[in-house]
Amino acid sequence: QVRRDPGLLEQTDYKTFELRVFPIPANADQHIKVTYCQQLVFDHDNATYVYPLATVTRKGIDQKARGKFALTLDVKSEIPITRLFSPSHADDFVVSNPNENYARASYEVQEGSLDRDLVVSFDTSRPRTGIDLITSKQSGEEGFFLLTMTAGQELEEYGAGMDYVFVVDISGSMQHEGKLMQSKKTVSSFLQALGQDDRFEVITFNDVPKPHFGQLTVASAESREQGRAFLDSEKARGGTVLRPALNTAYRFKDQDRPLNVVLLSDGMTDQREQNELLQLMKAAPAGTRVFCIGIGNEVNRPLLKQLAEGAGGLAAFVSQEDDFGRQASAFRRKLMRPVATNVRISIDGGAIHDVTPEKLPDLFYGAPLRIYGRYGQPGLATITLQAEVMGQPITQTTRVELPAQDDRNPEIERMWAFQKVEQEMAALREGGPSEARVQKIVQLCEGFSIAGEYASFIVLENDAEYKRWAIERRNAIRVKRDDASRTRLRDELQRQRDESLAKLGPMTPE
């Protein structure tokens, strides 16, 4: 007798999940439902959601839907929504706005192609500034919180120009999914957004780096065109060796001007070089920040994010179906303002613990800094934020209420655990193998239903099967909570749609 698992979901590396289902009888259907949570990418007054469809991992995969393919996106926002749109499928989405705090976008196609990402974005009436808090707390249990900090008018624009070195990966792995072509388009958009006082250089690299100008060049119409022509002539080939390229970029640092190194790569480097790169980022010259941009879905997101934050920068990931000009303008908006450094946060009250990240990254204009944690004592708490902007200290203090009961946002609990897992994975990349860290990762994954590189999901038909194989169902209660919360939200959004539709009909004469 061959014993097989009815359902097994495994993560095989940082980007690939495999799902096996057994048995599937002849001419039968199997229904598979996958639920996941993620942090929405937010910038200033705009948020973007990407549903990644361009994810083919091997040749020969049929990318056409056999029946109906549909996506319905409900957007609920405390800040009024002014516009909901799709940069990828502008004419294919139907958008409705039941009220200023709720919008819906729907897409449906028969026998459609599944080889393009679906990108949906929405604007709000004003950027959210300051400190915001949402919580999740079950009766008799500790609470969880998500604290979001966003810098606004405190970070005014620089008056002087800045220096940029664009480091573009042209290794063989960049030829897949048109990544190199999209990198060229992205740099072109960045060059177009540069100011008249800015200077730049373009470096391509595979096994060795190749600077174009050999010096920082003023951003003129002529130099921009020369930079674009240089990139257009490059082809994807060779290996990926990042370290010499970054060392070369650091040599362009002018002691009187800040240097922004913008790296466009998929991060496909071997494990040995990853550790070297993390150390190299920490050794960047004073006044230098490294920003990593990943194009498409075939990128090592965890590594690029860790590399950027290690050098005082940030990482951005751009879908090939997004508006590159829009993304370039948003990115430059961050770079044109000073950065809040030495960010520290203290919370008086609430018996706060298990906060992640342990070390806070720098705070950029319009880019929210998210902090997850747990609290043991409901009631009032005082949050104090301290940082430095251009050598001057800034302090913000706000009072918040940590509730004794809050079942509206149970997803925060799993997101807290996911961020803790990411923290431990980053430590493994930097410090090497550690059995203690692996065990901690496994405990978090088992306790909060997270599929990872060290933990998998198994799905059996009923409770009797779990008992038969002596498998403990650790998260049955948590799953029920999440389902109940989603049902309440769905009902609330339906009520708002019904209220909006009730206003339609014959107009009343004045």
Side-chain angles (χ1 to χ4, degrees):
Q1 179 181 4
V2 179
R3 296 178 178 177
R4 300 184 181 179
D5 300 322
L8 184 64
L9 176 65
E10 297 179 290
Q11 183 177 355
T12 57
D13 58 28
Y14 67 89
K15 63 180 175 62
T16 306
F17 291 82
E18 291 184 354
L19 176 64
R20 285 175 284 182
V21 179
F22 179 88
I24 302 179
N27 300 315
D29 292 330
Q30 280 281 20
H31 184 103
I32 299 173
K33 177 182 177 181
V34 177
T35 303
Y36 66 94
C37 307
Q38 72 178 69
Q39 294 182 151
L40 199 62
V41 177
F42 221 101
D43 178 79
H44 193 54
D45 57 357
N46 174 267
T48 300
Y49 171 74
V50 177
Y51 185 63
L53 287 176
T55 54
V56 173
T57 56
R58 62 183 184 274
K59 294 181 179 180
I61 295 179
D62 186 356
Q63 293 184 269
K64 284 190 71 70
R66 291 304 182 191
K68 179 179 73 173
F69 175 74
L71 174 77
T72 300
L73 187 73
D74 290 303
V75 180
K76 183 174 181 290
S77 173
E78 293 296 324
I79 312 170
I81 301 165
T82 59
R83 182 173 66 131
L84 180 64
F85 61 100
S86 172
S88 62
H89 297 69
D91 300 325
D92 299 323
F93 272 91
V94 174
V95 176
S96 60
N97 296 83
N99 56 60
E100 65 177 8
N101 298 107
Y102 172 37
R104 164 176 277 208
S106 60
Y107 170 85
E108 183 175 313
V109 64
Q110 290 286 344
E111 304 291 333
S113 175
L114 305 180
D115 61 352
R116 296 175 56 207
D117 291 349
L118 286 167
V119 183
V120 182
S121 187
F122 67 91
D123 296 330
T124 56
S125 61
R126 63 178 177 84
R128 169 72 81 182
T129 60
I131 300 175
D132 302 291
L133 181 78
I134 53 176
T135 59
S136 177
K137 175 75 165 63
Q138 304 296 327
S139 179
E141 299 180 10
E142 286 195 329
F144 295 77
F145 68 86
L146 166 58
L147 181 69
T148 303
M149 297 185 296
T150 308
Q153 298 305 317
E154 304 91 345
L155 304 181
E156 296 294 342
E157 278 200 31
Y158 279 114
M162 303 179 74
D163 293 339
Y164 299 83
V165 176
F166 298 95
V167 182
V168 183
D169 185 351
I170 59 168
S171 64
S173 63
M174 293 293 288
Q175 66 180 310
H176 301 298
E177 297 184 356
K179 286 186 286 187
L180 179 55
M181 182 183 299
Q182 300 304 329
S183 293
K184 293 176 180 179
K185 290 181 179 179
T186 303
V187 174
S188 179
S189 297
F190 269 107
L191 294 179
Q192 192 63 36
L194 294 181
Q196 61 181 5
D197 295 324
D198 294 333
R199 301 185 300 181
F200 75 98
E201 168 65 299
V202 179
I203 299 175
T204 58
F205 76 95
N206 39 37
D207 294 293
V208 294
K210 180 182 175 183
H212 176 50
F213 295 106
Q215 61 183 5
L216 290 167
T217 303
V218 175
S220 64
E222 182 181 2
S223 63
R224 290 190 185 98
E225 183 55 40
Q226 290 175 355
R228 283 191 284 264
F230 168 64
L231 283 176
D232 287 343
S233 67
E234 296 289 69
K235 298 179 180 179
R237 55 191 175 186
T240 307
V241 186
L242 267 169
R243 182 168 48 83
L246 287 173
N247 274 325
T248 302
Y250 290 163
R251 297 190 186 105
F252 287 87
K253 177 69 177 74
D254 185 325
Q255 63 179 358
D256 296 326
R257 291 162 65 101
L259 175 65
N260 298 307
V261 177
V262 182
L263 170 66
L264 293 95
S265 173
D266 55 12
M268 301 296 189
T269 61
D270 60 38
Q271 187 66 41
R272 178 186 57 80
E273 192 188 21
Q274 289 183 18
N275 182 266
E276 292 181 3
L277 286 171
L278 292 169
Q279 301 304 319
L280 179 63
M281 289 295 185
K282 295 180 179 180
T288 301
R289 295 183 182 277
V290 179
F291 300 86
C292 297
I293 301 178
I295 306 296
N297 302 314
E298 186 83 3
V299 294
N300 193 335
R301 289 176 175 240
L303 175 63
L304 292 179
K305 181 176 183 294
Q306 190 175 356
L307 288 175
E309 292 181 356
L314 49 81
F317 303 95
V318 183
S319 168
Q320 297 182 27
E321 301 301 326
D322 207 341
D323 183 334
F324 287 90
R326 180 177 74 93
Q327 291 284 2
S329 297
F331 206 78
R332 186 174 183 272
R333 190 165 56 232
K334 298 181 182 68
L335 304 189
M336 284 301 296
R337 288 168 169 81
V339 180
T341 60
N342 297 324
V343 181
R344 304 173 302 281
I345 187 170
S346 59
I347 304 177
D348 183 17
I352 302 296
H353 63 99
D354 279 335
V355 174
T356 182
E358 294 178 345
K359 183 179 184 302
L360 298 181
D362 293 341
L363 185 58
F364 289 82
Y365 175 81
L369 176 59
R370 295 179 171 110
I371 300 172
Y372 290 86
R374 305 181 71 168
Y375 67 92
Q377 184 64 48
L380 286 174
T382 301
I383 301 175
T384 302
L385 168 68
Q386 295 176 300
E388 296 176 11
V389 178
M390 301 184 71
Q392 296 297 317
I394 62 169
T395 301
Q396 286 188 3
T397 301
T398 186
R399 297 268 285 177
V400 297
E401 176 76 27
L402 297 172
Q405 178 77 25
D406 187 351
D407 57 5
R408 296 170 299 170
N409 307 292
E411 299 86 358
I412 294 175
E413 301 179 16
R414 185 171 288 115
M415 291 302 295
W416 167 84
F418 178 76
Q419 296 300 322
K420 294 289 283 186
V421 169
E422 289 290 281
Q423 180 178 294
E424 296 300 326
M425 291 293 293
L428 285 176
R429 283 191 294 272
E430 185 170 355
S434 168
E435 184 62 30
R437 292 194 184 281
V438 170
Q439 287 301 317
K440 190 171 183 179
I441 291 171
V442 171
Q443 290 174 3
L444 287 165
C445 290
E446 289 182 345
F448 291 85
S449 295
I450 299 173
E453 294 185 41
Y454 295 97
S456 302
F457 278 170
I458 186 171
V459 181
L460 302 179
E461 292 186 29
N462 50 52
D463 289 339
E465 286 296 298
Y466 285 99
K467 292 179 181 179
R468 175 188 175 194
W469 299 107
I471 298 175
E472 183 180 355
R473 299 193 67 183
R474 301 169 186 258
N475 290 289
I477 295 177
R478 187 179 304 280
V479 170
K480 289 180 180 178
R481 290 175 182 170
D482 291 355
D483 287 344
S485 174
R486 281 191 293 272
T487 299
R488 285 194 298 271
L489 178 59
R490 184 173 62 246
D491 293 345
E492 170 62 20
L493 296 181
Q494 182 62 54
R495 183 189 65 78
Q496 293 186 30
R497 289 195 297 272
D498 291 343
E499 289 180 353
S500 177
L501 292 172
K503 299 175 183 178
L504 300 178
M507 295 180 63
T508 302
E510 185 176 343

